[in-house]
Amino acid sequence: MYIDNELCQKCLDCLPVCPVAAIKARNHRIEIDYDECVECGVCRRLRICKEKAIMQVKEIPYPRLLRQVFSDPTKNHPTTGVLGRGTEEMKTNDITNIFTKGYIGFSVELGRPGLGARLSELDKVTRKVTEMGVVFAKDNPVIPLIQDMKTGALLPEILGEKVLSAIAEFLVEEPRALNLIRELTAFLDSELDTVATLSVIERADENGRSVFYEKLKDQGFHPYPNGKVNIGLAKGAS
Ligand code: SF4
Ligand code: SF4
């Protein structure tokens, strides 16, 4: 995204709408910081500029294109066909059955709220969880970015790209889940240069009970229960 300073009247209306504060007033101009902009499209979508001075280039080149793919929720992800950053299962539950009995699902979301994340931060996470022996969730948009599945290393040319957020999703066998949470939270706390949210996804038992949630509380964690079920969006729903 860029601003046409021939059209811009310097009204400053667009400055507060950018979620990563990439629109800046400097040198008597209003500019979009090319390196900080995550190509989320918010400034254009809101039609905040009466002068139509906020412009989008026709084609964003690779690897910069990844910024848009991971930041603009109106764009379908090319590998999953799903809008936004996660898998379909993360959004709707009960479609693919990947978070199944005997396993605990996890997601690590980097960059939200309001900070964004370099893909070098995601690289730290994919390497760490690969070392811990997790299985990445099928169709997680992060998987095509991994160059080496043995180490979890991402493609080197993408590491400097900045996105609004990226979500790594993976599973481990239930007996290993508590230790994984302990080790991973310590790692996220000490090694990351952005914000991170660790989510735990569990299939309820036949009585609707969340057994692992109770276990977490017993172990001194303070989980915040939250469900994200978009009713009516399931495949085949009429
Ligand atoms: S809203 Fe438009 S005219 Fe106002 S500062 Fe931003 S780009 Fe310039
Ligand atoms: S595209 Fe998004 S990140 Fe870039 S300037 Fe506009 S609102 Fe900010």
Side-chain angles (χ1 to χ4, degrees), residues 173-184:
E173 305 85 357
E174 197 273 342
R176 291 206 296 131
L178 269 175
N179 279 343
L180 182 138
I181 291 174
R182 285 195 189 96
E183 193 174 334
L184 192 54

Side-chain angles (χ1 to χ4, degrees), residues 3 8-14 30 48-51 53-54:
I3 288 176
C8 174
Q9 294 301 313
K10 304 177 184 60
C11 68
L12 309 184
D13 285 355
C14 57
I30 308 302
I48 199 94
C49 182
K50 295 180 192 74
E51 312 301 328
I54 302 176

Side-chain angles (χ1 to χ4, degrees), residues 1-2 14 17-23 32-33 36-44 54 56 64 71 164:
M1 208 68 73
Y2 69 98
C14 57
V17 307
C18 177
V20 292
I23 309 179
I32 292 177
D33 185 324
E36 291 298 319
C37 169
V38 295
E39 303 288 359
C40 67
V42 167
C43 51
R44 254 170 82 85
I54 302 176
Q56 176 62 282
R64 188 173 178 86
S71 308
L164 197 56

